[in-house]
Structure formats: C-alpha cells, structure tokens
Amino acid sequence: MSHPLLDLAPLSAEHFASIERRIGAVLRTDADVIVMQGEALLPLEGCIRGAARPGSTALNVITGPYGQTFGGWLRDSGANVIDIEVPYHTSASAEAVRRALAEHPETELVSLVHAEAATGNTNPVGPIGAVVREHGALLMLDAVASVAAEPLETDRWGVDLCVIGAQKAMGGPAGVSAVSVSERAWERIRTNPNAPRRSYLSLLDWKERWIDTGRTALPHAPAQLEMLALEACVRRIEENGGLDSSIARHRATAAAMRAGAEALTGQGGEGLRPYVTDARDAAPVATTLRAPDSLDARELVTAALAAAPPNSRALPLAAGGGALGREMIRVNHYGPDATPGTVVRVLTALAEALNAAGVRADLDAASTAAESAWSGPAE
Amino acid sequence: MSHPLLDLAPLSAEHFASIERRIGAVLRTDADVIVMQGEALLPLEGCIRGAARPGSTALNVITGPYGQTFGGWLRDSGANVIDIEVPYHTSASAEAVRRALAEHPETELVSLVHAEAATGNTNPVGPIGAVVREHGALLMLDAVASVAAEPLETDRWGVDLCVIGAQKAMGGPAGVSAVSVSERAWERIRTNPNAPRRSYLSLLDWKERWIDTGRTALPHAPAQLEMLALEACVRRIEENGGLDSSIARHRATAAAMRAGAEALTGQGGEGLRPYVTDARDAAPVATTLRAPDSLDARELVTAALAAAPPNSRALPLAAGGGALGREMIRVNHYGPDATPGTVVRVLTALAEALNAAGVRADLDAASTAAESAWSGPAE
Amino acid sequence: MSHPLLDLAPLSAEHFASIERRIGAVLRTDADVIVMQGEALLPLEGCIRGAARPGSTALNVITGPYGQTFGGWLRDSGANVIDIEVPYHTSASAEAVRRALAEHPETELVSLVHAEAATGNTNPVGPIGAVVREHGALLMLDAVASVAAEPLETDRWGVDLCVIGAQKAMGGPAGVSAVSVSERAWERIRTNPNAPRRSYLSLLDWKERWIDTGRTALPHAPAQLEMLALEACVRRIEENGGLDSSIARHRATAAAMRAGAEALTGQGGEGLRPYVTDARDAAPVATTLRAPDSLDARELVTAALAAAPPNSRALPLAAGGGALGREMIRVNHYGPDATPGTVVRVLTALAEALNAAGVRADLDAASTAAESAWSGPAE
Amino acid sequence: MSHPLLDLAPLSAEHFASIERRIGAVLRTDADVIVMQGEALLPLEGCIRGAARPGSTALNVITGPYGQTFGGWLRDSGANVIDIEVPYHTSASAEAVRRALAEHPETELVSLVHAEAATGNTNPVGPIGAVVREHGALLMLDAVASVAAEPLETDRWGVDLCVIGAQKAMGGPAGVSAVSVSERAWERIRTNPNAPRRSYLSLLDWKERWIDTGRTALPHAPAQLEMLALEACVRRIEENGGLDSSIARHRATAAAMRAGAEALTGQGGEGLRPYVTDARDAAPVATTLRAPDSLDARELVTAALAAAPPNSRALPLAAGGGALGREMIRVNHYGPDATPGTVVRVLTALAEALNAAGVRADLDAASTAAESAWSGPAE
C-alpha cells in the first residue's frame, strides 16, 4: 500500500550535500555547513559543548531566554562565564562587548543570539562580530529567528558558528537544522578534550565521518522528509523573489505591527507601547509590546485571543514568558504570518480586549498607521 | 531524486476497490459504486447522458444553477424536459413532484440536487424519493453539497444515481468523484442506444470493464494521488467521530450563521435577512442572505471582504451568481470552514460593511445569537 | 489533524496557468495549451469529437490499438473514416499519407499516434506533418508514449492538436493530461455544430471560460495533487539535464534492449526477433519482440515473469494485446524503467524462460550486446 | 504556493501523544514512552548517559558493533564496564549473564542489543531479562533491528529501557525514534547527578516538561513529517494483519534466505555457510553468511552486486563491517525487502559471483530450498 510519506527512495549522500550547499548560500558562507538531524537546539548545544573548554572564559550576551540556556551549557562545560545581560527593551551593543572583552582579555568564545522571538529585539551582529574578530575570540550566533527575516552575513560578519532552523521566517520544517563552522572553530573544537565525540551532540563526528570523507556516506540514516521539506522551503523562497523579498516582507510586517500598536492607544497616557523602545532594535520576526500598567498582559492576551475569531489559523499572540508574563505581549509575525492580514487581525483583537478592559483603543487609527507603515520605506 | 508525489507504487485494483467500498458506506448504499476519474461534473454528465433516452420524458427539479446545467444535458440527450423551477428562497416539495409526475405519467427520470451551495437551500430527498419510486421513474441526485453535511440515505430514499465529490463538507480532493448506480439505473442505461459507450463519459464502460470483471483490472491509469487523498479524508472523518459528527458540525455552523445574521440588523426595518425563508429549507453547507433593499449585495460583499483582515485563509463570502448578484450574499461554511470561527469572522466583516454603508449592525447581539445557536439543539 | 494530501492552499489560477506554460515548453509549442482534468483519453476524445464534423472525411492512421479507438470516435462523430492500417512491424510513411490524401482530397482531419507502447513502433511525424499541412487538413497527434522519450516538435511539425500524458517517459501522474490547440484547430472546432459544448469532453468550454478570459478563474475545482505532481515531474526533468537527457536515456535503453534481445538467441534459426523490423521504426518507450514460432508468447511471458525474481518492482514485461498475444512480447522500458538495470533483468528472465522451453539463449552474449548498444552512439 | 511538505497545521500535543500511545502498543509496554526527535542513536545515548552513574558497574553484552558503541558511552559516563563479548556466530545466553552478574554483584545496568543487523544474530531477551530482573539491575535493550521482525515484549521480559526506530522492519522513517522508560529506570536516572539535563540528550527533560505536565505542551517544535510518517507506518502494519503478520513475513524471509544459501553450494567442501551456526540464534531482519575460505567476502559481494541487474531497487547485500569484511556477507532483508523476491534476487547474484570465482553454485537447488523454507513452518 503506497503512502506519500513512506517508501521514498533513500535520500542520497549527494542530494543531502546539495541541500547543505543551498543552506550555505542562505547563510552567505563558504565555511563547512552541516545539516544536523534534530531541532536547532541540537547544533546550538553541540557548538557550545564543542567550543567551550574547561577553564576557558566565555562571554555570553543575554538578550532573551536562549542566552540563559547558553549560559547553562557553558557552565556545564566548565567555562568561566561572563554574562552581559541586556535589558530586553534594547539590544546588545558592540561597545559593551568591546568593554567586556577588554576586561576579560582571556575570553575565547562569545555567544550571541541574533534576533529574539521571545523578547522582540535584534542585535547588531556586524559591529559585534568585528569587535570579536579583532579580539580573536570565536563568535557563535543563534540565527534561528533572523534567517530570511533580516540580513544574515555569516562570513562577512566573522561568525564562526552560525546556527539556523527553518521553522520561523523560512516557513520550513523544525526537525532538522543547520550550522556553519569556520576553520578557526574546527581548530578550537578539535583541541577541546571535552568536545562531544561519538555522540549525537558531536559536530566533530560529522566533520570526520562526513565532511572529511568527501560527503559520500551519511553517518546514519537521515530525517529524509524533513530534509526534503527543508529543500522545498528554500526553493520556495528562491521562487518568490529570494531572500531579499522574504526579508522585505518581514520588515514591512514588523514596521506595520509596531506603527499600528503605537497608534492603537495613542500617545501619552496609559496605553500600549512597543517593548523595544528604539525601532532599530526591534526584530522583524516578532513584535513585543508593553501592556498598560493597569493591566496584566496575560489577561489582555487571553481576552484578545477570545475576542479573536476562533479561526483555524490561530492568532500568533502570546504573553511574555516567565517573569515577563505580566507586562509583555508578543506577536510572532513570521513565515506565513508575515502578512498585512496578521497585523490587522492582531490589532483588531487587541483593540477589542483593550476596550473591554476600559482602555480606549482606536482601531481605525491603528489600521491606517499600520497600512502606511507597510507601504512606506522599509528602513 | 525522490519527491513525495512521484514514484509511488501503483495503486492496485484491490486498493481502488477498497476505496469504492468506503465510499459506498458514506453513501449508505449497497449498489455499485464507481469512483470516477474527474470532478463531480463528470459522473453527473455521465448519469444524465446515460439515463435520458431520446424521446423520453424527464422531470428536472431546478433549485439552483446545477439544475440549469442538468436541463441542458437532458435536452442535448433528446429528452422532453419538464422543468420544475423552485424559487431559490424555498425548497422543492414531494407534493410538487407528485403533481408533475401525475401530469406527465410518461416521465422516466427525475433529476434533483440535494443541497445547493449556490442558493443555500436543501431539498427533502426522502419524501421526494418515495414519490418517484412509487411512480416508477429513476431518481438522479447531486449530493456533492450535502454529503457529510447532512444525512444522505441513498438506498433508503430510493436514489438510483447518487453523485458526490469530496471537496465540500468532506474536506477532500476535487479531482475524483463517485457515483452509485442501482440495478434499475443500469437496466435503463444499458437499453439506451445513445448512452455514452467507449467514452470518458461512459458509466457503462466502467460497468463492463471494471465491475463485471470483478474489479481486478483498472480500465486506465487512475488519478492516484487524488484517490489517496479521497481515502485519507474518509479516514479522517471516521477518526473524528464519523459522519454523524461531521453532520452535526455543519448543522451547528449553519444554525449559528443564520441566527447571527438575523440578529445582526435586528427585526423589522431594513436589514439582512436569510434568503431561504424557512430554516428547515436551509442547507448546512452554505447560508444565503438577502441584502438590505437599499444596498447592492456585490458592493456589500466587496466591502466586507475588504473589511475582513487580509488573512491567509480567505473569508468564504461571495455575492450570488448571475442575476442574484444584486440581492444575495453567500457564506460557504463547509469542511475546514464549518467552525464557530468562520461564523464570527463573517459576522464581523459584514457588520463593518453594513455600518459603513449606513445600516446599523450590532455585532455583539449577532455574536451572542450565533453562539447560542451553535450550542443549542441542532434541529 | 494534518495530512500531507489534505488541506493544501487551493491551487491558484496563476499557478495552474504557469504549469500550462511549462507544458507548452515541453511540447515545443506557442499554441494554446490546456491541462485537462483527466487521463489522456479525455483530451484525445475531446479533440476528435470536437474536430470531426458529421459528413466530413477523416484519415485515421492505425499503427496500434489507439488508432482503433480513434476510428470509433470518428465514426461516432459522423465522419467518413479512411483507415490506413500499417502492419505493426513497421511504421506509417509520409508517402502513404500523401497517397491517401490525394485519393481523398476532401479529407479535413488526420489522426495519428506518435509512438505506440503497445506495438513498439514510432511514426515519422515530421514528414507526415509536412504532407498534411501542405494538403490543408488538421493533424491530431497522440504523443503520450513519445513525449520525453523522443523529440516532439509540435509547432515545427505542424501538429494542430497534440495530446500528452505524464505517466510514461515523464515519470509523472496519469490523472491529468494536456493538449495543445492551434488556431486552425480552434476554428474547426468552433464551427463544428456537434463539437462538445458544456461538457466534460469540451475543449471549447476551456477556450471560452478559461483561455479567452485571461486564465484568471478556473472553470471548476482542479485535481490539485495531480497538478502539483505534474509540475514536480517537469521540474525533475529540468533538474536532470532537461528533455534532451531524458530522450537520450530512453533511446539508449531501447537500443540496448533491442541489441540484447537480438543477441539472446543469435541469428538464424528459431529465436527471438525484434517485432519492428527496422530499428528506425522502433519506439524508445517500448520494445516489442516476436516469439519463436514454436512458442506461445503468453506462455513465454508467464514463464519469464515467474523466472524473474518476485521483486517489489515488477518486471515491465507483457504479451501483446488481443490477437497479438500469441506472437508478441512487449517490454515497457520508460520513466524509472528506462535504465540498464531493467534491460538486464528482462534479458535474464527471458533467457531463463527460453532455455526452459528448449530454445537455447545465451545471456552473456545478450548482456554484452546490450551494454555495448547502451554506451554506443544513440542513432 | 502550496507544497505537500510545507504549511501543514502544526502537530498538536494531543496528536503527538496519540502516536506515543500507538508505539507503546507496538512495544507491548505500559511504561512511559517518549518519541525522541532524532535517529535511534539519540535515545540510546540518552539512556546510557542517563542510567550509568560514575563509579557504578555496568554489564555490556556485545554481540555486534552497537555493543562497542554502548561500551564507549558507558565508559564516558564513568562506569566500570564488564564486557561480555559473544562470538558473532552465536548469541548471548542467559546463563552467561547470570554468571557475570554473580561475579559482579554490584552491577547496576545491563545493556543488550536484541537483534543485530550487522552480525545477523538475535539474543534471547526473555530469559536474559528474567536473570537481570532477579538480580535487580536495570536492563536496557536496543530493539531497533527486532521490532516488527520478531516478538518484542518489553514489560513481560522486564526491559527497563527499550529503544526502537522505524527504519528497519517497520518500513518507516529514521528521523524519529522511541524509548520506553520503566519506573525503576526513571528512579535511577533521576538520582544520577551526571544524567543529561537541559540537553538534547536528556530523557529527564521530557519526563519533567512533557510527561509530568500531562503531555499538553511539547518542549520544542517536533519533526512533524517524520512523526506523521511514523504514524502512517504503524497504521500500515495494523492494516496488513498487525505485528504478527509482519513478524511472520520477516521470519519466513530469514528461513528462506538461510535455507537457500545453505543449498547453494551444498554440504561438505568449500562453500557458503550461515555465519550464525544455530538457526535459533539467527535474526529475522538479516542473514549473515561465511564466505568460502578461498574467497574474500568483499570481492564476492562486489561481484554479486555487479552480477545483479542494476535495478532501481538496490540489492540489500554488503560485506561485513571492519574486521569481518573478509569473511562475512550480510543480507538485509527487512521492511520492503522481507519478500521471497529479495531472497531469489540475492541467491541469483550470489550464484553468479560464486560460479565466476570457481565455486560451483546450484541456483536451482537453492531456489527450491528457499521456496520450501518460506512455505514451511516458521520455527
């Protein structure tokens, strides 16, 4: 009995390698690219456990929850961890990284998240990369929430370990992910006695068994369907105007969402405000909003989701995680949700929830502002 | 290179036949069932050209546009056609059919559409079937818009030729469709010298080459993917509580839509009214509404679609076809749109369009009425 | 519950039209191309019933079973049919067509099959097309078994109605098919009072409702999955070197099969011989063989299939249809079976069956001959 | 633009949990089942790193290469490892395990592979499990190569950690895998300070974040397509007679392969012999053969693969890994290759290779023996 998901001819090593080449182009890198057989957490953990030697010093730039996770892995690996915690309403700066590196010249590794879907900010990887490269440390970047939503220049920015997944702006599968590894990074991992070896977490295994043998025999059976879906989503991006077009669409969505939210309750007084204060720090994949002081964001979100038509397509709206739950509203406008429609639906639901809570919201003004921001210059 | 839609093992005759058996259960019939390799228009045309002999008399019950199409095919086949045109705001009655058959006792064939997505009404097939069976004519039924949305009892109602497609309430593919053929119908077709033979339109070809040879060799290569999708949608219905559950969901949606629309502009005065005056005549797959006299339905629909958030999932809203365009609004709430969410989204968009046109609409009252009708008894 | 074959976003008219454009490139035509929503029999029947007027004269070149089917449709349409029956061991000639047209100058339509999978021959469409065009009649071509296996030049050869399916050399789906229609053909169909109209068979319906309205609204819901599979198989051909590469592969397979079969029982005496005597007349999709006089081809095929390892992938071997069953063996080496492997597997099974029947077969010689023909110049 | 692998509705937690329930039934366990988001190596590594405490003692039963891998992980975890190496031509025995446990009463963990595709043997898990349970240690079982090919009774046999993948006898995807964890195993892992936590390798993370919270929110986005394929392969097994039928098919294939190989070169002298000397120790998923002393197995396999028709479906034949390469031939007859056809194809290719190497092989005798073993009692 035939089923479209069963009995496919095995994915050949050549085909697998061709997908890796396509991902290399997405990452804008000539370095080794490995498509790892698991969610992006797998290569992220593999990078940190591979690159952080016991007793070494790592600078961990925290701009959201993933930075916390990285810190855990770094400490687990025996590294001395210098955390730079950046308030979630802003972004990391090259200057702060420079200062930290000056204070801790022994730093060998800097870990950074590009864009944070959870907190809605995005970091200036280019300038930070230049500082790190000048200092000589390795730079690991989590670009899961930025790839295809904003420019990502792995090689030009000097990113040594760049990790992506396809499940956000690329509109692809979550079950496989990718990492690029620079020569400097390989050198570090190779000389780290504690780097995972003979392990599902090991990048070195892939280096030795896959890359160094000419990518001719896969180390184990791959997640074939996820690989095909990854290829299909890259192809779809190419056929719809390429990465630039995807980036422009996400940027326009973010601009519209921000402008609409700002116009919803007007200036002054007790309204909704962008959580990330400066628009230049705001991520194109997600917009975070600060709930009015009088209201609990969780209740507002619950009311907005209830106000929203119970669609088959859910409203991409959530309260902030953990301690942010009381004050932060998140709108995840990526992939199929990076559209004017999502912006309007979210504004409509928020307006209703605000009005019901006694905070006057002007949906017409918000819609007009959103529309004008969408069409406007995508700066 | 593997692709999930290519290189599937061929669909075996046995597998094809097993899908036909599943469709037989959906149709509640023990008669021969053929899954035709084209949209439902294919078996509908095959039925009429097969069953209508030159010089014979056919009674064509017209409750929407498909009745017009059937009349064309009947006349093309050389039949004398008695049209019973039923105003679109009501449904056909067994009594009217009885009278017509009494006036035209030579009638050999009655053609009927079960539910009309285009006009929003549904016909009492059970009582009509009893009248037709008593008279001795054949009954052909177009059940594309009723199957899985309301009860369909092919054998118990005496339907000789019953045609379905999966693309409405079943949530399945449109590229294949099915027809059941009673022994009486085969006899009629077999003795019709003009019945299509050696033709893509021919039911007889399938009878002789497929059914009578034990369903062991397909007459030509099938639309395999559409067949697999048909099987998958039947299986999904089974796994979600069966036909009864699908029917209940569509009924609740229709009740909510009707109640919500009635409450939107209130009673009396210049509002939106159900097009089908008696709720018992209203189809579960679609609700038709009469626009206020002062407004053009096409403009109202355009405004509502514009008011609606530009979603990825389109609002299932349209103006009536042809001459009905000025006065009729159609809501197609079937398959994935048979949900409370669709009802609320449509009501919201209509409310905005009405208010903008100067007709006062109360969305709160409409939502409350819809919700209460949804939860209420689905009579 | 999600299923990869259900709930896809509807295929847009634009996407449908883009697939038609791709098929136009495959057919090498600038004429109107319609992707019909059924197996290739649907457009073939539509072409003949559309182009053959009652009382007109049609020349039907019969080189296999489909020619018989075309004759039936032509007569059904009221045409006077001149059959040119070509012995199955050879192919039609432009000269024979010229003579027939000279004898029947009133001929309006010529129907021709390009390659015949059933009899293994292929016809010189270029020269025949030139003759027909000079005479002024329309030329209808069934290219289902030639497209992607040998050159097909719809416009250059003057083919007015060219029909293809994707299920043979293209390795695609069978549930949709395509037809190109020249301006001259449209004119003929338009002026034919009996051409199918308002019918699943009607090309004119597609012309008026789809092409002439700018291909913006599909006349009915399409067989979406088959359409996507059709697009995928065209894309796969493109990514594997294009049509030329597919054609070269089929030609090499046919050459190897023929050479291997000839070498199997050697020259002289009582052996296996190519059914199509001149290699230039042999089709690249299928090779037909004449069984030794002492043996029944059906028994030989049965024995070969039994000798063949009971694979999951069946051996593409069959006895001739109908009256040819006693003497003809067919090998269908197209799509995924156009490989050296299929040739060897078939030769091995035939060798075993022949030896068991007392006809000495030399598998080594056959394999060597096949291999040498495969690598050799594909003339 | 729609693609069948993209834009599926997200896999709900409920759906995910329902697949885990189905896998629980396949494993015949009431213990917690987790479907891990990676190849089976992921849960295997997770089990060992979770269950093996530093300083504890582990008994590692080595019957093939995976046992070597487990030993590496055990040592990496700081455990004292007692290896029981079983010659690959036989299987482990409960008695040997009992002796080892008596010598090392402090043993806390026993690791065992059920069937070995690489060496072709299978181990008596029932009796070994009884011994381990009596002693009180935990039993971890790698059942990737046995599930659906031979009985697997997780609970009845006292297996504490049972790992499967779907890519062998189940005919499913390789990208996700499953593990069952007994209460005793959870207790061990929970009290192991070195058990992976906050890691892709961590079983505890799934316990705490997924199972203990009622399986209502997935810890991260799943490999959705692989999950759907896993569900589809389980459903296909159910629809084809269930696990018993799959097991019977694999057993018959193994019996036929063994009997055919034994008959190929006959008794006495210099022929092919089953590598696993006692048929009761032979695995149903794969048959290993000892090459004649005069021949190198690698050359024999190369010759057989060359002799085999270059099919689209590759012959599942390989030389032994590593040091076994000179003497062992492996036949992987599982999933779609667990058929009489694969057996005959392999025997044919081996016969040709042996004859060419000067070792007389009798294909007729081998085929007869294979057929008779296939039909015979599957003991």
Side-chain angles (χ1 to χ4, degrees), chain A residues 2 9 309-313 341 345, chain B residues 2 9 224 309-313 341 345:
Chain A
S2 41
N311 281 312
S312 45
R313 180 153 197 89
R345 286 167 64 214
Chain B
S2 43
Q224 174 171 17
N311 280 313
S312 48
R313 180 154 198 90
R345 286 168 62 215

Side-chain angles (χ1 to χ4, degrees), chain D residues 8 61 74-75 99 114 117 120 136 139 157 162 178 182 209 212 232 378:
Chain D
L8 297 178
V61 184
L74 287 165
R75 286 181 178 83
R99 267 197 314 269
H114 189 177
L139 177 60
W157 293 347
C162 186
S182 71
R209 298 177 179 185
D212 290 350

Side-chain angles (χ1 to χ4, degrees), chain C residues 37-368:
Chain C
Q37 302 299 293
E39 209 261 359
L41 288 164
L42 174 63
L44 287 168
E45 187 179 354
C47 284
I48 290 187
R49 295 195 193 273
R53 297 187 297 187
S56 68
T57 297
L59 187 66
N60 184 36
V61 184
I62 302 179
T63 53
Y66 280 99
Q68 306 285 3
T69 302
F70 298 169
W73 289 335
L74 287 165
R75 287 180 179 85
D76 232 43
S77 305
N80 304 314
V81 185
I82 316 298
D83 285 328
I84 308 188
E85 295 216 34
V86 179
Y88 296 163
H89 65 270
T90 178
S91 69
S93 74
E95 188 44 37
V97 171
R98 183 191 307 274
R99 267 199 313 270
L101 290 174
E103 277 175 44
H104 305 279
E106 76 282 12
T107 300
E108 290 185 0
L109 175 66
V110 176
S111 52
L112 178 69
V113 175
H114 191 179
E116 294 272 6
T119 49
N121 46 15
T122 186
N123 294 305
V125 181
I128 293 175
V131 167
V132 176
R133 183 53 65 100
E134 190 184 353
H135 170 274
L138 291 182
L139 178 59
M140 184 198 88
L141 185 72
D142 171 353
V144 173
S146 59
V147 62
E150 54 191 301
L152 173 61
E153 294 284 346
T154 301
D155 283 2
R156 204 148 62 74
W157 294 346
V159 179
D160 294 289
L161 294 153
C162 187
V163 172
I164 64 157
Q167 68 266 42
K168 292 206 189 301
M170 293 175 71
V176 293
S177 50
V179 57
S180 72
V181 188
S182 72
E183 273 314 308
R184 287 156 28 95
W186 280 131
E187 184 56 27
R188 174 75 53 82
I189 298 171
R190 212 179 274 118
T191 57
N192 177 5
N194 281 19
R197 284 175 173 83
R198 308 295 175 245
S199 170
Y200 209 80
L201 291 174
S202 175
L203 302 183
L204 270 183
D205 286 6
W206 282 89
K207 175 66 170 162
E208 293 167 5
R209 298 177 179 185
W210 170 240
I211 298 175
D212 291 350
T213 59
R215 300 193 202 242
T216 50
L218 287 162
H220 61 76
Q224 174 171 16
L225 293 160
E226 303 281 319
M227 294 299 296
L228 293 175
L230 177 61
E231 184 183 42
C233 86
V234 174
R235 177 179 273 152
R236 183 163 66 173
I237 289 171
E238 288 165 2
E239 290 179 351
N240 282 282
L243 278 173
D244 288 349
S245 165
S246 174
I247 290 170
R249 186 165 53 84
H250 284 82
R251 280 185 160 172
T253 304
M257 190 67 233
R258 186 178 181 95
E262 281 179 323
L264 199 56
T265 49
Q267 297 192 334
E270 238 283 284
L272 215 55
R273 283 157 298 153
Y275 199 94
V276 178
T277 36
D278 191 327
R280 283 168 307 184
D281 299 336
V285 280
T287 297
T288 44
L289 301 169
R290 191 179 290 275
D293 293 346
S294 60
L295 300 178
D296 186 313
R298 287 164 300 201
E299 289 168 17
L300 201 55
V301 164
T302 303
L305 290 174
N311 280 315
S312 47
R313 179 155 198 90
L315 215 55
L317 199 60
L324 297 167
R326 226 204 62 81
E327 65 191 30
M328 185 191 283
I329 298 164
R330 293 187 297 142
V331 192
N332 295 303
H333 39 60
Y334 52 72
D337 278 324
T339 63
T342 297
V343 173
V344 175
R345 284 168 63 215
V346 167
L347 289 173
T348 307
L350 286 175
E352 186 156 339
L354 285 165
N355 281 326
V359 175
R360 205 184 142 70
D362 182 344
L363 183 55
D364 282 345
S367 299
T368 306

Side-chain angles (χ1 to χ4, degrees), chain A residues 182-242:
Chain A
S182 72
E183 274 313 310
R184 287 157 25 96
W186 280 132
E187 185 55 29
R188 175 72 53 81
I189 298 172
R190 212 178 277 121
T191 56
N192 177 3
N194 281 17
R197 283 174 173 85
R198 307 296 176 244
S199 168
Y200 209 79
L201 291 174
S202 173
L203 302 184
L204 269 184
D205 287 4
W206 282 89
K207 176 66 171 160
E208 293 167 7
R209 299 177 179 186
W210 170 240
I211 298 176
D212 290 350
T213 59
R215 298 192 205 245
T216 49
L218 288 162
H220 60 74
Q224 174 171 18
L225 293 159
E226 302 282 318
M227 293 299 297
L228 293 175
L230 177 61
E231 183 183 44
C233 89
V234 174
R235 178 180 270 152
R236 183 162 70 172
I237 288 171
E238 287 165 2
E239 290 179 351
N240 283 281

Side-chain angles (χ1 to χ4, degrees), chain A residues 45 49 71-79 81 194, chain D residues 197-199:
Chain A
E45 186 178 354
R49 295 198 192 269
W73 291 333
L74 287 165
R75 286 180 179 83
D76 234 42
S77 305
V81 186
N194 281 17
Chain D
R197 285 176 173 81
R198 306 298 174 244
S199 169

